[in-house]
Structures are given as C-alpha cells and as structure tokens.
Amino acid sequence: PHAVLDPATRPGADDIPAVLRELHRQLSLEAFGTARLRFRHYPLADWLMHQTLADGVDAADSGRAALVRRLRDRRGRRSAEEPPVTGESGFGTALQVLLWLLRRAVPSAVFRIAVSGRVPLVGRHYRWFMRQQYLAPRQSVTFLGFAERLTAGWRDGEQPAQVDKLLLHAFLEDLRQAYRRRFWRPGDWRRTAYPVLLLDGVAVGTVGHTLVRLLNDVRNETGRNDPLLVVAVGDEPPPELPATRALREADEAYEEWAEALPETRRLRRAAAWLLVLRLEAGDVVPPARGHPPGALAAPDPPWWSRRFLPAAVVLVLLLAAGAWADRRWAPDCHPSPTGQVRVQLVDGECVGYSDSAGQLFNSDPGQDRLRAVQRRIFAQNRATEEVWRRSEHRRPYLTLVYLGSLTGNRTRADEESYVSEREELEGMATAQYALLKESAAADGAALLHIVVANGGRQMRHAGRAVTMLEGLARDDPTVLGVVGLVESRTSTAAALRELNRVGLPVLAPTLSADRMDQNSSLYLQMSAPNSDQARMLESYARQVLKVTEAHVYHTTGEGSSLADDLYVSTLVDGLRERFGDRLTRLDEWRTGRRLTQECGYPGVLVFAGRWSEFDGFLRALKECGANPPRHLLADDSVNRYMANPGLRASAPGNLPVTYVSKAALATCGALRAAQARRDDARGTFLGWVRADDLLEPP
C-alpha cells in the first residue's frame, strides 16, 4: 500500500489533521492486492474532532448526553425509523417491551459496558485512548470525559502539538494492528510489504516537515514500532540532521543507521528516525529495458497464508468431524439432549445405554415390539420421576439397568428376532408399572427407574457398555444394579468382573455357564448351572426314554468359538462327564452339513448349541423324511427359537423335540391355573400383562 502527498507549503502545523485524513483515505483503498487496511482508532479520534457540543457550564450535561447519543449511533445502534407495534392485547404489550429491549436497552447497556473499559475483549479501542500518554487521559477519569475534550470548542484549551501527536499515534496504532502477525489469522501474513508514504516538496516550516518531525517524536516517546515508511523529497536536508550521504552509499548508510537506532531512540534524538540521502549528478540512470521506473515487487506471501487455506482447513475439519461422527454415531445411534443417554457406534452396532425415547435400540424392520416396550419403559420413567417429585422425594427411588443383546442378529423384515430380550424388558416394564400403581400415600413403596443398555450381538461389546455404565453409576447414586447379560461368553465374564470392580450387583435370569459366579462377588444367578442341566438330560434319557447311548452336536454361532462360548463349552463338558462311554459321538455341527447318518438313530440325539443354528439343524434332519431320529433333545438356548413365532411356524412337522425350559412356571397356562387357585401373586401378574395400558398388544 502506498500514498503520495504534495501538501501545501504554508507554515504551521494546523494542517496535520488534513494530511492524516488524506493519508487515511488513500491507504484505505482496496487497490493493493490484499485486504484493505482497516482503521478503528484514528477514525474515532478524527470524528470526535469534528463534533460540536453546547457551550457553557450549564450545558455540560446536555453536551455530554448528546455526545453519548452520537457515539452510540455511530456504533450502528438503530435506524431512525422504527416500525410501530400496535395492539391492546397482552401479547402486543409484551412485544413492545421486547422490541424496546432489543432496540434501546440492550444496545445502550452494551455501549456503556464498552466505553467503561472494564470488561476484557469489549471496547478495546476505547480502552486504548485511556492508556496512551497524549493529552493526559487519566485526568478525564472516563473515556466519555476524554472524548469531550477532543470536540470542537473544548479542544481549544489543549496543546495543538499534543492533539496532533494523538492523531498520529492513533493512525500508527491502526497500522500496527493491521500488520500484526497472528497465527490464527492467515490473512495477516499476506502483507509482505510495508505501506509507503511519498511526501513531495518538503521544506522547513511546511506541513510535510512538521509531519516528519512529529513522526520521529511519537516513535521515540511511545517506544512503539510501526510499519509506515515515509520517503520525503526536498531541496535541502532537514536542520535536525545536516550530515547527508550520497545516494550511491545508501546500503552502507542504512546499516550504520540501523546499528545506531537503539541508542538514538533511547536518547530521544530529534533525527533518530531520519536517514538523509543526497542525490548527485550521475545517480540517475535510464532504466533497463522492460523494467519501468519504480517497479518494486513485494515478496510472495507464505503458502499457508493463501486465501484458499481457511476454506481448505474448514473443509478438512468438517470431513474429519464427519468421519469421526460416522464411526461413532449413526442416524439411529446418537446422543440425546434429554434423559441419560450415552451411545457409541461399534462395528455397526449401537452400544451404550438410554433411559429416554430420544434413543431406542434397534431400528431393524420387524422389531416394532422391541422398540414399543422401550418406549413404554421410557414413558414410565418420566411418570416415575413425576410421582417422585410430587411425593417430595419421600418414596424410595431406584434405578435398574437392563443389559442385553439388542442388535446384531440377521433377520428377515417380517421376523421378530429379539423375542427373549423383548419379553425380559416386558417383565421389567411390568414391575415398573406395578410400582407406579401403588397408592400415592404409600411412602414406603419404591419407584423404579429403568435404563436400557445394549452389549451388542453375542455380548461382544459388553465391556464397552460397562465402561459407559461406570460413569452412570458414578454420577447417579440411585443406580442399584444390573439385570440381564443374557449370554454366557468370555465377554460376559469380563463384563461381570468390571461390574464387580465398579461395585454394581448383577442379577442374571438366564446365565447358566458353570463357574460364572467366580467373576463377581456381587452376582446372583437365577438359573441352574449347566452341570445340573447335563445331569437332568442324562437322567431323562436313562429313566424316561430308557436309552443309554447318546450323540451330541454343539454349535457356538457365527463368529464365535468353543473357547469364547462358556455356555456351550461347559454344557458339552457336563454331558461328556455324565454320559461317559455312552457318549458315542461328540461333534460340531456347522450350517450346510448333512445329518443323514442320524436318520432312524435309536439313542438320544442332543443339540447342545446356540438357538441361532437350531433352525438349520432341524432342516438338516428334515432329509430323514419319515425316518427321523427317535429322540431329539435340545438345550435351554432353544427357548429363544421356540419363543419366535416365525421360526416355530416354519419348523419341520415330523420332528418331535423335547427341550429344557427355565420358565415353565411363568407360561400363560401356568399363570391361569394359579389364578384359578387364587394365587394372588401370579394372578395379579397375569392381570398386569393383560392390562390395556401396558404391553402392546396385551
């Protein structure tokens, strides 16, 4: 950026404001290849010098009020025309009050805070005027008092030289800020050449000479550097520095001047910032061909300050944030602003916990009833909180976490694949429902808040879920324990150990692998261990079926192994121990393997695997046609298959199956029989699950 001035050669320093005004106009033009220089301090000082206030002591208050109003309007407070708000209604009155706040009260308060200079980052240019040294600003106490001294009329009592130095100091401060290198603003680094002022016709007593002298004084007195380079052209050297150097010696003269500058600045020499070069005959030579005179090229800005960089950085950050969010969350797996929700996308599964309808686990087709029971639980959570609030927190308030496998199974669009998990949640919803039905006066009756947590398919990510639950238990003292864990695997055992470390008790309705209790001292297993199941299967074969020989096939499910599947491995070990030599075949069955060798087998054929492979196992036996194996026994995992209406309907019709059940006393038939016997507990439970306002459908 550059400016060229040829000020009039009349004596006096009264024209310094006019010179600075013209210099400000030229340097503010957006014509130098980079963003135009922006000024804040100098325009404010120049504007104040053009203001005229009321004269006289009695008019001081009104003059100050006028100055405040003009300063506020200068900040763009509001337009002169304000659309009126009419209406006699309360809404119209409230809208008028709101508009008054937005148009007048708020801007006025912000302006008062800014001019006070007491709040960091607000009104920094006002604060600068009170901290610079010209015109003794501290005597005015506030910026408004100092600003009043700069206005026309009031300024007559100030020293003109001090006023000129203030204007020049404000102008140079704007240049300093424009050329300040800040790493978070790459645009600042694109300025690679200082602004140049060419003063022509400079002679002693002219405004040009006065400007050069004031520039030297301001730099010495403030101790601040600025980026302005002034080239003054005159017929005679200034009286401050009569010694001159020839133009051809410019390089040596510059080095000597730069070396002596720190000392001359400290001594405040009148010519500390002057370097005088003398033009002699022969110094001016014709320019080389193709190089016009004055063709000075500014250095190129660094590559990282190019205009494309901010957009590129923002784009990269957005892409990185999008990739991170895509790995961590999905449209059906995201944090919710309401309730206690913490989830994370792990291997395509939404793992974590939720107590709010803002996050439901499993958006697969066909899982409507699983989502419906979650919505029911979460709605009852809100009702529970309301009842607890109305009881003034007198009733006990408990939180239980259900941790199960709610995602990951491959299912058809018309197949409900999480029947067991859904029924477990329905049981918890029923318990919650029963406690909500207690009388409001029953201060001793507990209220139940339920958090639903997902450990992923085969509980593979149970450890990740427990890590999240640890934070929940730390933040929420009402968390009493965890229910579920559904499958006996090594990942489940590791989760049990972590829950024990956290101090959360675990109630497991279906876990049955042997020695699961060794993983936690806060563990209660409701089902019999696999050693009991193996003993029962052997006794049933020997005492009821009257057969002794057995064939056992085991499966662990896709992506799992016998070492990882504690349920299958301990069950197989128990069967091997119970049947002993009578176990004539122990083999692993895989999908697609034929079982024609089992057609007509007179002994007991035992399926000791996971329910997910039972359908394929039955289809393999379907090849036997009218000669199926004589006795087919299945383990308790097959309960999940039997609870799935779609799978059960497609099963072969010529294969009688006997399977182990852990819930014989909770079937509808057993409950109806208990109700007929006036068993109040079971009868009441049957009434709850048949209620119209709980399960969908009842």
Side-chain angles (χ1 to χ4, degrees):
H2 62 273
V4 179
L5 296 178
D6 187 4
T9 57
R10 56 189 174 88
D14 293 339
D15 289 326
I16 288 295
V19 170
L20 290 176
R21 198 172 302 118
E22 175 61 19
L23 180 58
H24 169 254
R25 185 192 68 80
Q26 293 194 37
L27 290 182
S28 297
L29 296 176
E30 193 167 357
F32 306 115
T34 60
R36 67 186 181 93
L37 298 173
R38 297 186 181 275
F39 296 82
R40 298 193 69 183
H41 301 85
Y42 168 75
L44 177 58
D46 184 63
W47 179 84
L48 287 171
M49 293 180 64
H50 285 78
Q51 303 304 305
T52 301
L53 303 181
D55 298 329
V57 177
D58 295 339
D61 291 339
S62 60
R64 175 72 64 85
L67 181 61
V68 170
R69 184 177 63 257
R70 294 175 193 175
L71 279 168
R72 197 163 57 232
D73 291 340
R74 184 177 179 272
R75 285 173 57 92
R77 178 174 65 92
R78 62 187 176 97
S79 61
E81 296 183 0
E82 296 180 354
V85 179
T86 60
E88 300 297 331
S89 64
F91 175 77
T93 303
L95 188 58
Q96 285 181 334
V97 173
L98 179 61
L99 290 177
W100 179 82
L101 288 172
L102 293 177
R103 292 172 178 169
R104 299 188 179 185
V106 173
S108 178
V110 172
F111 172 75
R112 289 289 182 178
I113 293 173
V115 297
S116 71
R118 296 188 179 94
V119 180
L121 304 179
V122 178
R124 288 180 293 182
H125 55 296
Y126 299 125
R127 192 158 49 247
W128 179 87
F129 279 97
M130 299 305 294
R131 292 178 177 177
Q132 56 84 35
Q133 66 263 47
Y134 296 115
L135 295 180
R138 297 298 177 91
Q139 292 181 2
S140 302
V141 182
T142 66
F143 170 77
L144 293 175
F146 180 70
E148 195 173 33
R149 291 168 52 192
L150 291 177
T151 58
W154 292 89
R155 191 173 63 251
D156 295 341
E158 307 292 345
Q159 291 186 7
Q162 288 283 302
V163 176
D164 291 339
K165 287 182 178 180
L166 170 63
L167 285 174
L168 182 57
H169 185 28
F171 184 86
L172 295 177
E173 177 65 20
D174 288 328
L175 291 180
R176 294 183 196 108
Q177 294 192 8
Y179 277 80
R180 184 179 301 164
R181 298 290 181 88
R182 289 161 288 197
F183 69 90
W184 64 89
R185 294 185 59 180
D188 295 345
W189 295 81
R190 289 198 292 269
R191 303 189 190 278
T192 60
Y194 285 158
V196 179
L197 167 62
L198 176 60
L199 283 176
D200 202 3
V202 176
V204 176
T206 64
V207 68
H209 176 260
T210 302
L211 178 62
V212 172
R213 179 175 53 80
L214 288 177
L215 183 66
N216 186 86
D217 292 343
V218 169
R219 288 174 173 174
N220 285 341
E221 292 168 2
T222 62
R224 302 287 304 280
N225 293 330
D226 60 78
L228 181 64
L229 171 63
V230 179
V231 179
V233 181
D235 295 332
E236 298 293 336
E240 294 89 350
L241 185 63
T244 61
R245 299 287 294 271
L247 180 61
R248 67 177 63 92
E249 301 174 358
D251 290 341
E252 295 84 351
Y254 172 77
E255 293 177 359
E256 293 174 3
W257 170 81
E259 183 178 356
L261 179 61
E263 181 178 1
T264 55
R265 289 183 67 181
R266 180 171 52 84
L267 297 177
R268 297 193 177 185
R269 296 283 174 81
W273 289 91
L274 296 182
L275 173 60
V276 183
L277 300 176
R278 183 178 67 256
L279 186 65
E280 297 179 346
D283 286 340
V284 179
V285 297
R289 183 178 298 274
H291 292 81
L296 299 177
D300 292 332
W303 66 267
W304 43 264
S305 67
R306 304 289 177 159
R307 295 183 184 276
F308 73 88
L309 184 65
V313 170
V314 170
L315 181 60
V316 170
L317 291 177
L318 288 176
L319 290 176
W324 177 82
D326 183 64
R327 290 194 304 269
R328 189 176 181 88
W329 298 310
D332 61 340
C333 181
H334 54 81
S336 173
T338 60
Q340 295 173 315
V341 178
R342 186 178 177 190
V343 291
Q344 185 175 352
L345 198 65
V346 183
D347 295 338
E349 297 187 62
C350 191
V351 176
Y353 64 82
S354 171
D355 78 334
S356 165
Q359 172 60 56
L360 300 176
F361 292 105
N362 202 313
S363 60
D364 294 344
Q367 314 312 315
D368 298 336
R369 294 185 67 184
L370 178 63
R371 292 189 291 271
V373 70
Q374 292 180 72
R375 291 192 188 93
R376 169 57 57 186
I377 287 174
F378 298 150
Q380 292 183 163
N381 279 345
R382 305 288 84 83
T384 296
E385 294 169 2
E386 177 63 20
V387 171
W388 191 49
R389 185 189 61 81
R390 290 202 308 267
S391 73
E392 298 179 351
H393 299 177
R394 288 194 302 270
R395 295 182 63 173
Y397 184 91
L398 309 175
T399 297
L400 287 179
V401 178
Y402 172 82
L403 176 57
S405 292
L406 301 175
T407 57
N409 294 341
R410 292 199 304 258
T411 60
R412 300 191 309 269
D414 60 346
E415 178 186 352
E416 185 184 6
S417 182
Y418 302 86
V419 177
S420 296
E421 288 81 3
R422 186 254 300 167
E423 290 184 348
E424 288 180 333
L425 287 172
E426 286 178 344
M428 296 194 70
T430 303
Q432 187 182 37
Y433 175 87
L435 292 171
L436 277 172
K437 293 298 181 181
E438 291 283 350
S439 170
D443 291 343
L447 293 168
L448 180 58
H449 173 258
I450 296 175
V451 174
V452 178
N454 180 34
R457 182 170 182 258
Q458 299 179 352
M459 297 297 290
R460 291 176 181 175
H461 309 301
R464 190 78 61 93
V466 170
T467 300
M468 301 181 192
L469 290 173
E470 180 179 2
L472 174 66
R474 183 174 56 250
D475 299 336
D476 186 354
T478 69
V479 176
L480 185 64
V482 176
V483 178
L485 276 73
V486 300
E487 293 191 7
S488 302
R489 299 182 181 272
T490 53
S491 57
T492 310
L496 272 175
R497 291 192 292 271
E498 283 300 298
L499 289 168
N500 185 70
R501 179 186 61 81
V502 174
L504 284 177
V506 176
L507 181 65
T510 61
L511 295 187
S512 59
D514 296 333
R515 299 176 297 279
M516 287 295 288
D517 59 293
Q518 295 179 3
N519 296 288
S520 174
S521 60
L522 302 173
Y523 171 74
L524 176 61
Q525 179 174 302
M526 298 176 64
S527 298
N530 278 346
S531 57
D532 288 354
Q533 184 173 175
R535 182 171 62 249
M536 182 176 65
L537 287 170
E538 188 277 332
S539 299
Y540 180 77
R542 178 170 42 84
Q543 298 178 9
V544 179
L545 302 180
K546 307 298 183 181
V547 295
T548 57
E549 185 178 322
H551 290 177
V552 173
Y553 288 89
H554 60 84
T555 68
T556 58
E558 183 182 358
S560 183
S561 66
L562 197 60
D564 295 331
D565 196 329
L566 301 179
Y567 168 78
V568 175
S569 61
T570 58
L571 180 58
V572 168
D573 289 343
L575 292 172
R576 183 188 294 113
E577 179 183 354
R578 285 292 168 181
F579 281 98
D581 296 338
R582 293 170 293 152
L583 183 58
T584 56
R585 176 174 292 174
L586 177 60
D587 204 353
E588 180 181 6
W589 182 85
R590 292 186 178 90
T591 301
R593 181 177 175 181
R594 302 184 68 185
L595 291 174
T596 53
Q597 70 274 12
E598 301 297 341
C599 296
Y601 176 60
V604 59
L605 179 64
V606 181
F607 177 82
R610 289 291 179 177
W611 71 275
S612 52
E613 275 68 46
F614 190 60
D615 185 64
F617 187 80
L618 292 179
R619 293 182 184 279
L621 291 176
K622 190 177 181 180
E623 290 188 62
C624 295
N627 187 31
R630 207 155 175 202
H631 306 290
L632 177 58
L633 297 185
D635 58 22
D636 70 275
S637 178
V638 173
N639 276 271
R640 290 174 175 268
Y641 177 91
M642 297 300 177
N644 191 314
L647 293 177
R648 197 169 64 244
S650 63
N654 63 332
L655 283 175
V657 178
T658 303
Y659 66 97
V660 178
S661 173
K662 296 178 178 177
L665 299 181
T667 62
C668 290
L671 290 174
R672 282 192 292 268
Q675 189 178 40
R677 297 194 306 269
R678 301 188 181 278
D679 186 329
D680 291 339
R682 290 177 174 82
T684 302
F685 178 79
L686 184 60
W688 286 331
V689 298
R690 286 176 170 176
D692 293 332
D693 58 343
L694 178 58
L695 304 183
E696 299 178 13

